[in-house]
Amino acid sequence: MFSFSLLVLFCSLGIADEKNTPKAEVSISEADMEKAKKFYANGQRLYKEGRYKEAILALEESYRLSNRHALLFNSAAAQERMGDIQEAIETLNKYRVYAPEKDQETLARRTTNLQQRLNEETAQQGKEKTEEKTEEKTEEKTEEKEIKDPVKEK
């Protein structure tokens, strides 16, 4: 087996590395493993370039070919960077199924923080929509007054 390195950003966290993640129970051909390495390298490059959508595609394909669960962590990071917080949470929760016990607390905190961020963003969006509706109603009332006011017509 080869050493399947992860994004440097995540290695410093001490999680999402191959030696600490349970191995896949399926047999993976050398050809598929070589393809997985290439997709992983592309995903890493795309991530560094800020092309997160493409990075996710490459990482997911690498995961499909290799069944290396730590790739889910990297996909979640790209999803978060892309602004898809809900998808990042779901991917992290999927990774937690396979993650080593020592990483569970860190992953739980991470998903909790992302959920709080998502809740705050949702609340902010709701507030902005409410303000927009209030402004629209005020504008409609102003227009109605302008139409009905015979003094202004003279």
Side-chain angles (χ1 to χ4, degrees), residues 62-75:
S62 181
Y63 176 67
R64 186 187 70 75
L65 291 165
S66 69
N67 208 27
R68 301 285 177 147
H69 305 302
L71 289 163
L72 295 169
F73 184 86
N74 296 334
S75 292

Side-chain angles (χ1 to χ4, degrees), residues 73 77 80 92 105-115:
F73 184 86
E80 179 186 358
L92 281 176
E105 185 178 331
T106 301
L107 289 167
R109 280 194 312 269
R110 182 96 181 109
T111 54
T112 298
N113 290 339
L114 286 173
Q115 187 62 55

Side-chain angles (χ1 to χ4, degrees), residues 7-21:
L7 298 172
V8 175
L9 174 68
F10 306 115
C11 289
S12 65
L13 297 175
I15 61 176
D17 60 30
E18 178 186 317
K19 63 185 172 194
N20 292 324
T21 304

Side-chain angles (χ1 to χ4, degrees), residues 127-142:
K127 182 180 175 183
E128 289 171 1
K129 284 182 181 179
T130 301
E131 290 172 357
E132 287 175 14
K133 286 181 182 178
T134 302
E135 287 175 14
E136 287 174 6
K137 287 180 181 178
T138 302
E139 288 174 7
E140 287 174 7
K141 287 181 182 179
T142 302

